[in-house]
Amino acid sequence: EKQGFKHFMLKEIYEQPAVVRACLDAYFSADWSVGDSTNSPIKLGLPAEIYANLEQIQIVACGTSWHAALVGKYLIEQLAGIPTQVHYASEFRYAPSPLTPNTLTIGVTQSGETADTLAALAMEKERRQDKEPKYQARLLGITNRPESTLGHMVTQIINTLAGIEIGVAATKTFIAQLMAFYALALDLAYLRQTISSTKLQEIIDGLRQIPGEIEATLEKQEESIGQLAHEFAETKDFIFLGRGINFPIALEGALKLKEISYIHAEGYPAGEMKHGPIALLDAKVPVVAIATPGSVYEKVISNAQEAKARDSRLIGVTPFNHGEAAEIFNDFIPVSKVDELLSPILTVIPLQLLAYHIAALRGLDVDQPRNLAKSVTVE
Ligand code: M6R
């Protein structure tokens, strides 16, 4: 049931605050506080063997789940200090990384049925089977359907609690995957003592504010993004830029737009523009830049400046509408100011809305885009 929404995708975008709340309740303990050194604030319930002597993590996934994995890599490396590789499952299955001891392999798939992801995990399990114990496969699944094939293949699961998603474009399941990665990265950081209790508390408190912030974004932005979409109904190419933890969000913004509006879009790490893609830019190619406060803000602004100098229309996803941002951006999509680490959960929301409104304006079948299926069960 669409419950009054024109499409399932829009309904699912609006369900995201509730999804984040469900994940917060499930993954984090309500009564933990900084002074508590006996209990963990994170309650994923994963067994100690998964974490013991961990030296490396490799993640396999496809599409939007692969983007969530890239955010996960950033979180795990920066918070817990564990080297983490993210692979397209379809590539990994035919050219796997050499075996290394004490490696955790994570498969991320909302449906739990994606053929390439399942094959990559099965291969990883198989090739480690006869090896000495430190090479044994430690497998973890992050899925929205624990009853799926993935659920039967691996013994440990983080259940992403998004509820059934009908729109082919993944929205609320992506947000839930991000939540799973926050919990996992914080759990690892807590156990390995790479994070102070105060910082841990600060991040968890920040996560608890996220549902309200998403609600505010939806309430304040939907109409103006709907208006902005009119400007781009005929646009042929789009570029999305982000850096650091928001680089995967640039990829996700571009993927959402191409899959439902059929507009060519590319996501790039902003600093990579000058190594080729900048040649594409002119007045006909709008550039969406994610410029949130933090370690790379100034860098993104100067990369946006380079695009502006090529006459591109600049759309800023940023909390700042003054100073240098005001000079560069032609259009603003305001997002709240939050800790840089938490920003992806907020910056992706307006990009989902932008893709949705452009596709809806073009009169396209938003929930069932051409050539796509909800889960890709063939190779
Ligand atoms: O079910 P999965 O998470 O394994 O699906 C992976 C991709 O097929 C999926 O994310 C696809 O890219 C979406 N349609 C993106 O919106």
Side-chain angles (χ1 to χ4, degrees), residues 62-65 108-114 117 168-170 177 252 255-256 259 372-376:
C62 305
T64 286
S65 296
V108 190
T109 161
Q110 77 80 21
S111 63
E113 302 296 347
T114 298
T117 308
V168 162
Q177 289 168 343
E252 177 60 7
L255 178 62
K256 286 296 87 105
E259 76 175 324
L372 293 172
K374 184 64 187 161
S375 49
V376 184

Side-chain angles (χ1 to χ4, degrees), residues 260-278:
I260 59 170
S261 74
Y262 317 147
I263 293 174
H264 166 241
E266 292 194 40
Y268 257 95
E272 191 61 20
M273 278 293 290
K274 56 184 167 299
H275 298 288
I278 199 162

